[in-house]
Amino acid sequence: MSGLSGRLQNLVTRIARAASDAGRDPAGIRLLAVSKTWPAGSVREAAAAGQHAFGENYVQEGVAKVEALADLNLEWHFIGPLQSNKTRPVANSFAWVHSIDRLKIAQRLSEQRDVFLPPLQVCIQVNVSGEESKSGVSPAELPELARAVVALPRLKLRGLMTIPEPTSDVTLQRERFATLRRLMAQLRADGLDLDTLSMGMSDDLEAAIAEGSTMVRVGTAIFGSRNYTN
Ligand SMILES: *Cc1c(COP(=O)(O)O)cnc(C)c1O
């Protein structure tokens, strides 16, 4: 067994244990393998080990991998910051976008999504830590943006995504993820049909699963440490 497929198996076990500790069915938690900075060959290896959904952060790099691996019929998620002049390739190469943080981006994605493709599945990214520099809408701006995104014809709003500030304080991790869970519950109570909480990464997925995550986005624990100089 290769290093990668062993790490992937360990991760599946780790997710199942976190689900069981939280009294949840592990089938309710999807694993998104974050392959940014890793070559197409690493994705191919993970796919051979049974992984189906992959996340990318950078437009050019992501689109190149989508094209190089088209034979595998993988499900591609765009999870990075998105500039409005780069929406077109994302609208048509990816099945999901997790990082919607303003209406202009959502409108462009909806206009540019090919009519022959199913609607683009999207999450709104929320800044639950209140840090100035972080991307994501504030909780206060969320309801208005969510209602506007739901009205766009070529998008399907599935839920919310967050990247909290890194901390080893598990209580704080849980507090941030609980904030996202409550924000989605409020939108659902207001009538929006949402089912996805995209939260939890290599270092905090237990806390995210305890607070209701339905999709964890994991890079390092599968592929190893990233080398950004590549
Ligand atoms: C890089 C990245 C991840 C994966 O982080 P790891 O710590 O490597 O698991 C998850 N989500 C987003 C948005 C990322 O940019």
Side-chain angles (χ1 to χ4, degrees), residues 34 36 57 79-80 161 163 200-203 217-221 226 228:
V34 177
K36 65 182 181 216
N57 287 59
I79 62 173
M161 183 273 246
I163 313 169
M201 317 200 298
S202 293
D203 291 334
R217 310 177 310 266
V218 180
T220 309
R226 284 180 290 275
Y228 284 96

Side-chain angles (χ1 to χ4, degrees), residues 113-179:
R113 179 74 168 175
D114 192 312
V115 291
F116 298 109
L117 293 172
L120 186 62
Q121 310 295 298
V122 301
C123 293
I124 293 175
Q125 184 174 351
V126 185
N127 179 353
V128 293
S129 314
E131 297 158 285
E132 286 294 333
S133 61
K134 274 275 173 97
S135 39
V137 284
S138 67
E141 297 166 309
L142 173 62
E144 190 185 337
L145 179 59
R147 276 191 296 271
V149 170
V150 161
L152 294 170
R154 303 294 301 139
L155 302 190
K156 168 72 183 136
L157 181 62
R158 294 293 296 270
L160 306 179
M161 183 273 246
T162 197
I163 313 169
E165 76 272 49
T167 172
S168 54
D169 176 349
V170 176
T171 308
L172 183 59
Q173 290 175 3
R174 287 199 51 168
E175 203 175 294
R176 299 311 190 202
F177 293 135
T179 299

Side-chain angles (χ1 to χ4, degrees), residues 39-50 54 67-72 74 223:
S42 303
V43 175
R44 210 171 265 287
E45 209 182 325
F54 291 86
E67 287 170 3
L69 298 166
D71 58 303
L72 295 178
L74 301 173
F223 295 102

